Structures are given as structure tokens and as C-alpha cells.
Amino acid sequence: MDEQTGYEEFIRQIVAAGVTDPLVLAAIRQVPRHLFVPEILCAKAYSDSPLPIGLGQTISQPLMVALMTQLLRLKETDRVLEIGTGSGYQAAILSLLAKEVITIERLYDLAETARVRLSQLGYPNIQVMVGDGSLGWSVSAPYDAIIVTAGAPEVPKNLLQQMAPGGKLVAPIGARTHQTLVLVEKTMTGETIWHSHGACAFVPLIGEQGWQV
Ligand code: SAM
């Protein structure tokens, strides 16, 4: 399979899995995933699988990135909080669909690598922070959308509090090794409505409102 055929197959799999939002598909096409993985794994960047990025962490499966992004139904005026920067790939996609992205990573070295990469590739509306994202980032709250890209035993209460009225949150919730993708919508009067969107498997969210190390 040549490079172009491989790339089109990558997009076809994402569409076949139910990602049909043209803005999300355009953002996926625009962000070069091979520049977010270690050089030695470049050839695997357009396979639909998570890949190691060092320190025991992964860049998420592209299909999961696309599905979670689609669930947020972002508007260009939205402010987004991402928990779990990792490589910065998901943040780059979000930044093309929203006004501003704040992304938090607990591991300093990953955060620094992502910060430099995102700056060099030209994503000006992303801020990378280092900290325990299970507590959210209260100084810039509330957020129109929150995305958690590590698995948590339950939705951290701080994150529910940091959602704007009318906001959305998507997170993998469940056991340490496998979870259910959960979407929470906050109404304009502050109630939350919960939906399940199938099985998934993420590395654990380590923190005060996540798992212990
Ligand atoms: N979104 C990433 C990307 O596009 O490459 C992939 C995220 S990776 C599956 C999960 C990340 O969450 C890891 O980098 C991990 O260090 C980070 N993480 C785990 N617990 C965290 C916490 N409490 N706060 C912030 N980041 C956390």
C-alpha cells in the first residue's frame, strides 16, 4: 500500500466508524499525526492504533480522537479544556475547531515536548500547562467543552463544576484498564445529562480525583 492509499484508508476507517462531521474530518486531515509520534514510529502514524510516546504513555487511537471530538460539537467561539496533553495531537485538532484550548499534562517532559512541537508547527491558540488535571484548571473556568484523555474511576467533580452552562464533557470512565466513553451535557440551568458511547481503553488518569499512582 503506498503512502496516499494508506492515508485514505485511515480516513475511510474513521468515517466507517461513524465520524461524519465534515469539520472534524477536515481537522483530522489537516493535522499531520506522523509529526506527533517518535520518528521511529512515523510509518505507523496512519494506522488506527494508539502508539507509545515515552514515559509509559500513548498518543490515542485516531478513531477515538475523532469520536471524542465529534461528541463535543465544538463552535469556533468555544473555550476548551483538555486533560492529558500527551503528544499534543488531540489539542492540535481541537484548536482548529475552537477559539482557545488549555491542555494539562502531569508529566513535565511530555508537556515540554508537546509545547515546543505545537509552537513550531504553528498552533497559536493552545496553552500547555503542567499539573494534576483531575482537579481541572479553575483559574480559566468555566469551559464550553472539557475532554479527558485518560481513564478515570468517575468524572472528577471539579471538572463538572468547571463546565459552563450549555457545556459538554467527554471522558473514559470505569476500571483502570477499560472504560466506557461518557458524554455529560450541562443544561443552561445547571443540571447534567449523561450518555454512554461504548467501550474504550485509555491509560489511567493519575491524580487526586483519579487513580493513585
Ligand atoms: N491526548 C493525548 C494525545 O493527543 O497525544 C493522549 C493522551 S494519553 C492517552 C493520556 C495522558 O494523560 C498521558 O500523557 C498522561 O501522562 C496524562 N495524564 C494522566 N493523568 C493526568 C492528570 N491527572 N493530569 C494531567 N495529565 C494526566
Side-chain angles (χ1 to χ4, degrees):
M1 200 186 290
D2 64 30
E3 231 168 73
Q4 191 55 35
T5 315
Y7 186 74
E8 287 311 318
E9 175 61 16
F10 170 76
I11 298 291
R12 197 197 60 73
Q13 283 178 12
I14 290 173
V15 173
V19 178
T20 52
D21 183 329
L23 295 177
V24 174
L25 291 171
I28 297 272
R29 282 183 183 278
Q30 210 174 317
V31 179
R33 190 172 187 253
H34 65 280
L35 299 182
F36 289 79
V37 300
E39 218 174 318
I40 194 166
L41 294 174
C42 265
K44 296 191 175 164
Y46 299 105
S47 60
D48 186 31
S49 59
L51 293 171
I53 55 170
L55 302 180
Q57 305 305 322
T58 54
I59 179 172
S60 305
Q61 179 193 7
L63 174 55
M64 203 42 72
V65 171
L67 275 174
M68 291 172 89
T69 306
Q70 177 166 272
L71 286 173
L72 292 174
R73 301 268 172 224
L74 294 172
K75 299 188 292 297
E76 59 190 9
T77 51
D78 281 352
R79 297 179 60 253
V80 182
L81 177 68
E82 181 196 22
I83 314 303
T85 310
S87 67
Y89 177 70
Q90 172 79 74
I93 288 177
L94 296 167
S95 78
L96 298 178
L97 299 165
K99 181 176 174 202
E100 182 188 356
V101 178
I102 295 177
T103 178
I104 312 177
E105 172 57 55
R106 68 179 273 273
L107 299 175
Y108 176 85
D109 287 355
L110 287 183
E112 262 321 287
T113 304
R115 181 183 291 131
V116 170
R117 176 183 286 134
L118 290 164
S119 153
Q120 286 176 346
L121 292 175
Y123 295 97
N125 56 340
I126 302 176
Q127 292 179 66
V128 181
M129 309 298 186
V130 179
D132 177 3
S134 76
L135 301 175
W137 196 258
S138 60
V139 284
S140 305
Y143 302 97
D144 303 298
I146 299 180
I147 177 169
V148 185
T149 66
E154 53 192 42
V155 177
K157 66 175 185 330
N158 282 30
L159 298 185
L160 291 172
Q161 286 162 359
Q162 291 173 26
M163 293 171 73
K168 294 186 175 58
L169 175 152
V170 65
I173 302 298
R176 199 166 164 125
T177 51
H178 57 278
Q179 306 88 25
T180 299
L181 192 59
V182 170
L183 170 70
V184 182
E185 297 183 277
K186 192 178 258 192
T187 66
M188 297 310 283
T189 50
E191 291 104 47
T192 52
I193 303 167
W194 298 60
H195 314 262
S196 288
H197 285 274
C200 56
F202 280 77
V203 294
L205 181 80
I206 307 287
E208 207 173 308
Q209 291 183 29
W211 298 97
Q212 302 305 302
V213 183

